[in-house]
Amino acid sequence: MNKVLLIYTGGTIGMGTNLQTGALEPLDFNHLVDSMPEFKLIKTQVDVYQFTTPIDSSDMAPDKWALLVRIIGKNFQEYDGFVILHGTDTMAYTASALSFMLENLTKPVILTGSQLPIGKLRTDGKENLISSIEVASMKDANGFARVPEVCIYFSGHLIRGNRSTKINADGFNAFESFNYPHLCDAGVNFAFHDHHILKPDFSKPMIPHLFMNPNVLIFSLFPGIQEHVISHVLTSKEVRGIVMRTFGSGNAPHEAWLMRILKEATNRGIVVVNISQCVSGSVQMNRYDTGSQLKQNGLVSGFDSTVEAAVTKLMFLTARFKDANVIRSQMSRSLAGEITIDIE
């Protein structure tokens, strides 16, 4: 019998109603199991690790990512796969972070949750949980993991974690991967798209990384942006990396002050990554002069990265390397399938 470790962090799937406030709050995992008798019928052996205090995903942070890595690393040899129950609001950030922190991952790590608590009559949590466990336990004809990467399973779709974005706060189809195909679509059967799934080196071990540098930030350009609003941010001594969300294919205003402070930042060793505000498509800084000026001032392309993948990748790399040029070089590589490289 295959074995899967289920890691319960909290989130809507296990929430109940606070009788005093009427608001949803994370409950003990036993509440989730009691609300789901089908759990006992799952053929895969499922063991459970529960966060001592379940958290709302809004409280997810790098120290919690490190805890997840420790749990997975400690139990890696004992289980065929891992399922993480997680709130939807920051699930894409956690999936992206884990994809970098679990280097050469050779087993599935599937994040899932729900839009309605599992005790609700119309919950989406039961199918999400059962299917995630099934996918996490699957092996191919050679006995290797069917999907050896960090993924999100939601509403019948398995998508690469570092390509995912939450797109809907109310609908069951809460996540999408705009710049990369689904890894699997689940209907009556699981339809895997094998040529899109990562192929790690199964002869080498998984390497866990525990440290992330939170001294990074994200900011978006907008028409009328003012120098005094962002100059303090870009000149901060603590900042190691910046994800700048630009227009279209990576364009920015022809403002001398903006180019000046960006160049000053890159000269001080701050890594500035250019990603598009568009949900699909890729940064092409050579396409227009407004993008070329950013490249000339030291910005690196984020290609077709999601904002979640770009910021967690920066956190990961700035924790590992001090040399800004090394970080820039690594940002321009696909470490875990998070970007599609276009040669500009």
Side-chain angles (χ1 to χ4, degrees), residues 198-219:
L198 287 176
K199 302 297 188 293
D201 188 340
F202 288 100
S203 68
K204 295 182 179 179
M206 185 275 289
I207 302 173
H209 298 277
L210 297 176
F211 300 106
M212 300 286 270
N213 184 351
N215 292 311
V216 301
L217 61 90
I218 305 164
F219 82 90

Side-chain angles (χ1 to χ4, degrees), residues 9-57:
T9 69
T12 299
I13 193 168
M15 284 186 171
T17 302
N18 184 307
L19 297 179
Q20 293 182 332
T21 66
L24 292 174
E25 61 183 13
L27 296 178
D28 187 272
F29 181 80
N30 292 323
H31 166 79
L32 187 149
V33 174
D34 292 341
S35 300
M36 187 178 168
E38 298 93 334
F39 192 81
K40 299 176 183 178
L41 303 177
I42 297 173
K43 295 181 180 179
T44 300
Q45 179 182 328
V46 180
D47 295 332
V48 176
Y49 183 100
Q50 176 178 322
F51 273 23
T52 304
T53 302
I55 63 170
D56 185 278
S57 70

Side-chain angles (χ1 to χ4, degrees), residues 4 7 13 18 30 35 44 54 96 101 117 119 140 172 204 207 210 227-228 238 294 302 326-327 335 339 342:
V4 168
I7 305 170
I13 193 168
N18 184 307
N30 292 323
S35 300
T44 300
S96 297
M101 298 171 79
D140 62 19
F172 288 155
K204 295 182 179 179
I207 302 173
L210 297 176
E227 178 180 2
H228 65 272
E238 290 77 18
L294 296 177
V326 173
I327 297 170
L335 303 183
I339 53 175
D342 294 322

Side-chain angles (χ1 to χ4, degrees), residues 103-291:
E103 182 181 347
N104 194 50
L105 182 63
T106 54
K107 295 181 180 181
V109 175
I110 314 296
L111 286 84
T112 194
S114 65
Q115 295 285 64
L116 283 175
I118 207 161
K120 297 287 186 180
L121 184 62
R122 295 181 54 250
T123 184
D124 54 327
K126 292 182 180 181
E127 193 277 326
N128 287 346
L129 175 56
I130 291 172
S131 294
S132 294
I133 291 172
E134 190 167 355
V135 170
S137 68
M138 285 184 178
K139 296 182 179 180
D140 62 19
N142 297 315
F144 295 122
R146 195 75 173 78
V147 188
E149 55 177 290
V150 179
C151 304
I152 287 178
Y153 181 89
F154 227 88
S155 191
H157 303 302
L158 184 72
I159 59 181
R160 180 167 295 164
N162 57 33
R163 295 281 192 157
S164 64
T165 295
K166 185 175 180 181
I167 60 169
N168 198 321
D170 299 317
F172 288 155
N173 189 23
F175 290 89
E176 190 50 271
S177 173
F178 291 102
N179 285 325
Y180 199 78
H182 296 166
L183 305 183
C184 177
D185 294 298
V188 175
N189 299 303
F190 289 102
F192 288 95
H193 311 300
D194 292 321
H195 53 295
H196 297 310
I197 298 173
L198 287 176
K199 302 297 188 293
D201 188 340
F202 288 100
S203 68
K204 295 182 179 179
M206 185 275 289
I207 302 173
H209 298 277
L210 297 176
F211 300 106
M212 300 286 270
N213 184 351
N215 292 311
V216 301
L217 61 90
I218 305 164
F219 82 90
S220 296
L221 296 179
F222 57 89
I225 191 168
Q226 295 296 303
E227 178 180 2
H228 65 272
V229 174
I230 66 169
S231 61
H232 293 296
V233 172
L234 292 177
T235 57
S236 171
K237 294 181 180 179
E238 290 77 18
V239 174
R240 289 288 313 282
I242 296 170
V243 175
M244 190 169 77
R245 302 180 68 237
T246 55
F247 306 128
S249 56
N251 304 312
H254 275 108
E255 293 284 359
W257 64 263
L258 180 59
M259 296 304 110
R260 174 178 52 79
I261 61 175
L262 285 172
K263 186 173 183 61
E264 289 173 354
T266 58
N267 286 342
R268 292 198 313 275
I270 296 175
V271 179
V272 186
V273 182
N274 181 4
I275 68 168
S276 176
Q277 295 179 23
C278 301
V279 295
S280 64
S282 182
V283 163
Q284 299 282 349
M285 287 194 285
N286 286 341
R287 181 174 295 176
Y288 301 103
D289 181 58
T290 49

